[in-house]
């Protein structure tokens, strides 16, 4: 019997059934509270030892300028420190900087104080000129993924060894948050000039660990960096990231002791991992979201001027609002994700300092109202609508649950599963009516909204165009006052919910399995698993 | 002979070229844009344009094809769009893994399959035959991925006898390498061992009823010698032929096994590359596979012509 249970746990996709939940409508987070992990207490861990972490996907280039995969951030967190980091409350805190930036000149001059006495892994001194050269590389290197994140930078100065001054063409409040991600990882100027765009073959940063070797599609091995400024607090000798893409196999490796940490556990597999007394599950709610996007104006492709799409769902916001009223988010999260994820109604996570009562407003589950809105819009029910969805098991389960749910609200949802690369292609070409996709999330709300719903946004696949929303987003981007920005983003959420081009459904939780033989592993809302200061338990 | 050689070499090169054209056009016919797949979440037009320019995806198909062919001839198979690692270096790490896995699986299948086949034939009608037949049926009908998961759950998670996944290169630590690869090899070899068992049993039954076996028995030879030296030896010709034919099956089975056990082999590399639309990797994989097949065929044809001169006469006439 235990064998059957084990097999079911391993093959949850086959063993679990999809049954739409009836009723419900609570839009508060239903899942248990976040558990980020604790820093290792003094005397709790041994010095030395090797830690193995199972990674759910292979990182791409280990070059902070060119990296595009979220998984590379996991490895970078151990080897490439940033000017800023985020803490458990998703607040920005200094890392290689010594304080938060000072903003002057009406938001156009940003001054960043940086640490003294720090060395890169190759022995090159870290100073303001290294920061300047990294910024310039991020802004000019062909294919840089950081250029757009850094905003309208005009120039960067290094007036002293520990002061960096950034001159902006116009105020750009999201800059500090960008510097708490890959754009803020400072690279050794010696290495960047020697390797150019091949920096990823031998990356050199400031970090607790440095690259030892990488075996493609298998592993990335790091060793402790003796040059690191806080090396005394680094306990492990080495960290090995082993790529194991299947969630069940990752959990199996965790339970067999072959790995001590595993990211992105499957919500269906979590109870089995929790039942094992030698393991702990860390969970932090993502800053991103999952949702469904209507094609309201994407005819010629993303980024092109919006054109009318001749469907009731594209033309009439009441149809889209009806779709939202037909969704029982709490039921969805419970049925499809074992109640481990949190419901979401806006692009701003409740944990964010930009969250406000206005950004937390949520339409309740009300199928009767959905039917009424469809009637008001003059649409015959059941209203047929097709939804493009990635063909992975979780997305398909979600689509099936949605299909059953919205039926009650007068929709005949047809599911069109496609492979992920094809889905990206179709969404950018505007070849869809409705699609299900999400966003991993950033600390600053600008990065979670403007690109997706701002006119001409690079990821505005809905083809949405609302000058009033654009104006609010621009003001929020240029304001340096937190309270004002919070208020503006509340207004933006209200605007989005009026038109509903994108209906937010839920927020994933970063579910990380950790063996109790390891202490000090932490996961914050940015989703990055932090291993640099972990150690093997005594 | 030299004319025949030249003729076959020319044919092989032409086949290789055609295979290259087919795969080049085939990967581009797949829906999905590699620039989009690579851009990840940052799909700004500038980034997409830079990716397309960097990997030559913005150039015309003939230009891209010429660049691929001319570089490949010089031994440069390009750089992975996804990881930025040279494809030749990826092949160097992946090929030995798959070869080791396949060879080991073949060895295990041969020992288990031939052994069980002999027992089933010699002990015909006894419990041993039923047992061997049942095992063969399971081996043939249960898919690799299921057996792999069961093996991981019971032999890695529950008992800790084997690692659940991962790979250690043979030269780094031979013992640890074997520890990691033995379980996947056993799983991969199950299907083949079942085929070999059935084949060995059938051939052995034929051999055991032949005159020379009867003569050997009449001479008073020990049963083990009769079976081992006379019956089995003659049965093995067919078995070896079947085993050779099944090698292709083994390589395709390796794709699934590598995925389950997280082995960084050729199959896993191919699957990942297809999903990520990593054109240089897909092209290189097909180029290497086609070259291997064409070279083997070429060598086999040469052997045929050495064994049977009529073959090259026919070619000369053509």
């Amino acid at each position: 019997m235990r064998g059957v249970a084990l097999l079911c746990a391993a093959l949850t996709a086959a063993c679990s059934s999809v049954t739409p939940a009836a009723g419900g409508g609570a839009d508060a987070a239903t899942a248990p509270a976040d558990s980020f992990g604790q820093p290792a207490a003094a005397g709790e861990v041994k010095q030395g030892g090797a830690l193995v972490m199972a990674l759910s996907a292979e990182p791409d280039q280990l070059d902070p300028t060119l990296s595009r995969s979220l998984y590379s951030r996991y490895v970078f967190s151990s080897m490439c420190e940033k000017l800023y980091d985020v803490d458990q409350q998703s607040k920005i805190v200094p890392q290689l900087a010594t304080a938060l930036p000072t903003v002057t000149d009406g938001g156009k001059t940003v001054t960043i104080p940086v640490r003294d006495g720090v060395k890169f892994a190759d022995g090159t001194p870290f100073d303001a000129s290294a920061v300047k050269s990294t910024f310039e590389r991020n802004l000019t290197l062909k294919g840089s993924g950081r250029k757009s994140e850094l905003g309208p930078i005009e120039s960067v100065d290094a007036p002293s060894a520990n002061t960096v001054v950034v001159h902006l063409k116009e105020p750009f409040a999201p800059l500090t948050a960008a510097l708490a991600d890959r754009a803020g990882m400072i690279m050794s100027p010696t290495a960047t000039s020697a390797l150019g765009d091949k920096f990823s073959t031998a990356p050199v940063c400031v970090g607790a660990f440095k690259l030892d070797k990488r075996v493609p599609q298998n592993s990335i091995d790091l060793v402790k960096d003796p040059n690191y400024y806080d090396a005394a607090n680094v306990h492990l000798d080495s960290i090995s990231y082993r790529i194991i893409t299947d969630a069940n196999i990752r959990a199996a490796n965790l339970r067999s002791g072959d790995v001590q940490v595993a990211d992105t556990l499957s919500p269906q597999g979590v109870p089995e991992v929790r039942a094992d007394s030698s393991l702990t599950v860390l969970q932090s709610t993502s800053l991103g979201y999952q949702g469904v996007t209507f094609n309201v104006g994407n005819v010629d492709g993303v980024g092109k001027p919006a054109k009318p799409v001749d469907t009731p769902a594209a033309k009439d916001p009441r149809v889209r609002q009806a779709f939202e009223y037909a969704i029982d988010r709490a039921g969805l999260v419970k049925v499809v994700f074992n109640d481990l994820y949190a419901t979401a109604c806006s692009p701003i996570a409740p944990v964010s300092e930009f969250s406000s009562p206005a950004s937390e407003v949520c339409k309740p589950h009300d199928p009767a109202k959905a039917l009424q809105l469809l009637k008001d819009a003059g649409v015959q029910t059941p209203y047929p609508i097709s939804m493009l969805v990635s063909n992975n098991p979780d997305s398909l389960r979600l689509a099936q649950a949605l299909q059953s749910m919205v039926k009650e609200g007068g929709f005949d949802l047809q599911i069109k599963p496609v492979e992920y690369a094809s889905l990206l292609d179709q969404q950018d070409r505007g070849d869809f009516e409705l699609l299900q996709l999400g966003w991993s999330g950033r600390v600053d709300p600008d990065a979670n909204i403007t690109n997706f719903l701002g006119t001409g946004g690079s990821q505005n696949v809905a083809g949405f165009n609302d000058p009033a929303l654009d104006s609010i987003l621009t003001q929020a981007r240029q304001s340096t006052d937190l309270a004002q920005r919070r208020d503006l983003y509340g207004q933006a959420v209200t605007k989005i919910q009026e038109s509903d081009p994108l209906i937010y459904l839920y927020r994933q939780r970063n579910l990380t399995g950790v063996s109790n033989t390891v202490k000090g592993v932490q996961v914050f809302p940015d989703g990055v698993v932090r291993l640099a200061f972990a150690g093997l338990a005594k | 002979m030299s004319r025949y050689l030249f003729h076959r070499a020319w044919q092989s090169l032409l086949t290789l070229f055609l295979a290259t054209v087919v795969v080049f056009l085939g990967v581009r016919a797949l829906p999905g844009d590699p620039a989009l797949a690579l851009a990840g979440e940052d799909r700004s037009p500038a980034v997409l344009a830079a990716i397309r320019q960097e990997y030559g995806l913005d150039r015309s198909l003939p230009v891209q094809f010429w660049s691929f062919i001319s570089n490949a001839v010089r031994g440069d198979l390009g750089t992975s769009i996804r990881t930025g690692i040279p494809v030749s270096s990826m092949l160097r790490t992946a090929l030995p893994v798959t070869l080791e896995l396949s060879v080991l699986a073949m060895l295990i299948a041969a020992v288990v399959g031939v052994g069980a086949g002999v027992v089933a034939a010699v002990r015909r009608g006894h419990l041993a035959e039923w047992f061997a037949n049942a095992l063969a049926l399971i081996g043939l009908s249960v898919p690799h991925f299921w057996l792999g998961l069961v093996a991981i759950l019971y032999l890695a998670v529950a008992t800790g006898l084997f690692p659940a996944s991962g790979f250690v290169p043979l030269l780094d630590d031979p013992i640890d390498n074997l520890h990691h690869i033995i379980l996947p090899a056993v799983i991969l070899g199950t299907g083949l061992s079942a085929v070999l068992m059935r084949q060995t049993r059938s051939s052995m039954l034929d051999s055991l009823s032949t005159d020379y076996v009867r003569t050997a028995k009449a001479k008073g030879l020990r049963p083990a010698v009769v079976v081992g030296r006379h019956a089995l030896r003659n049965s093995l010709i067919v078995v070896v032929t079947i085993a050779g034919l099944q090698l292709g099956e083994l390589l395709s089975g390796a794709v699934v096994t590598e995925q389950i056990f997280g082995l960084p082999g050729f199959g896993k590399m191919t699957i990942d590359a297809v999903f990520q639309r990593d054109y240089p990797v897909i092209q290189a994989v097909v180029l290497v596979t086609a070259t291997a097949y064409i070279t083997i065929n070429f060598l086999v044809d040469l052997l045929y012509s050495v064994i049977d001169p009529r073959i090259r006469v026919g070619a000369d006439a053509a």
Side-chain angles (χ1 to χ4, degrees), chain A residues 3 58 253 419 427 440 459, chain B residues 41 43 82 154 164-165 277:
Chain A
E58 182 173 19
N253 272 266
E419 184 245 334
Q427 71 155 17
S440 66
Q459 299 192 56
Chain B
E41 290 193 320
R43 295 197 292 276
R82 165 87 183 151
Y154 286 99
S165 71
R277 303 292 188 271

Side-chain angles (χ1 to χ4, degrees), chain A residues 293-295 311-314 319-320 323 382-388 403 406 410-416 433-435:
Chain A
T293 303
F294 288 88
N295 184 353
T311 63
V319 177
R320 303 192 290 270
F323 195 87
Y383 173 67
I385 187 163
S386 67
M387 182 171 77
L388 208 59
Q403 185 181 47
V406 299
F411 289 90
D412 172 18
L413 183 69
Q414 292 143 17
I415 302 168
K416 286 171 71 178
E433 205 174 354
L434 179 67
L435 77 86

Side-chain angles (χ1 to χ4, degrees), chain A residues 336-420:
Chain A
V336 186
F337 303 111
N338 244 352
D339 238 352
L340 282 161
Y341 290 170
T343 57
C345 302
S346 91
I348 300 170
V351 67
S352 165
E353 57 187 347
F354 296 93
S355 175
S356 64
S359 74
E360 283 302 295
V361 168
C362 200
K363 287 191 184 80
H365 175 220
D366 189 347
K369 185 150 189 179
L371 285 167
Q372 183 60 47
L373 280 166
L374 287 179
K375 196 177 164 192
D376 294 347
V379 171
Q380 269 201 334
T381 54
Y383 173 67
I385 187 163
S386 67
M387 182 171 77
L388 208 59
V389 60
S390 176
N391 62 357
N392 67 66
D394 272 358
S395 298
L396 287 175
R397 273 201 300 271
L398 171 71
Q400 286 160 0
L402 264 180
Q403 185 181 47
S404 302
M405 234 166 233
V406 299
K407 196 174 175 182
E408 209 187 340
F411 289 90
D412 172 18
L413 183 69
Q414 292 143 17
I415 302 168
K416 286 171 71 178
V418 289
E419 184 245 334
Y420 186 66

Side-chain angles (χ1 to χ4, degrees), chain B residues 136-256:
Chain B
L137 197 67
I138 292 170
L140 281 173
S141 47
V142 179
H144 285 150
F145 79 88
W146 174 266
L147 275 181
L149 282 174
V150 172
I152 287 175
L153 287 171
Y154 286 99
L155 299 176
V157 177
T159 61
L161 287 174
F162 296 97
S165 71
F167 181 76
V168 175
L170 184 64
L171 296 177
D172 285 10
D173 185 342
I175 304 287
D176 210 13
N177 166 271
L178 201 63
H179 194 210
H180 277 85
I181 208 162
I182 193 84
L183 198 56
V186 169
I187 300 298
L188 181 58
T190 45
L192 181 59
S193 65
V195 172
L196 293 184
M197 180 268 157
R198 303 286 302 172
Q199 197 56 50
T200 309
R201 178 183 166 276
S202 160
S203 302
M204 279 292 288
L205 287 175
D206 285 348
S207 298
L208 287 171
S209 61
T210 53
D211 289 345
Y212 64 83
V213 169
R214 206 172 305 124
T215 308
K217 281 180 185 166
K219 275 169 36 184
L221 291 177
R222 282 184 296 121
V225 177
V226 174
V227 170
R229 196 178 295 167
H230 294 277
L232 179 60
R233 222 168 144 178
N234 282 290
S235 307
L236 279 183
I237 296 164
V238 184
V239 173
V240 168
T241 310
I242 298 286
L245 290 173
Q246 290 284 320
L247 192 64
E249 288 281 311
L250 211 57
L251 288 173
S252 57
V255 174
V256 179

Side-chain angles (χ1 to χ4, degrees), chain A residues 472-487:
Chain A
I472 294 171
L473 292 174
T474 306
Q475 286 177 58
R477 175 183 266 218
Q478 295 186 347
S479 164
T480 49
D481 180 74
L482 177 66
Q484 191 189 14
R485 291 191 78 201
R486 189 184 292 130
D487 177 54

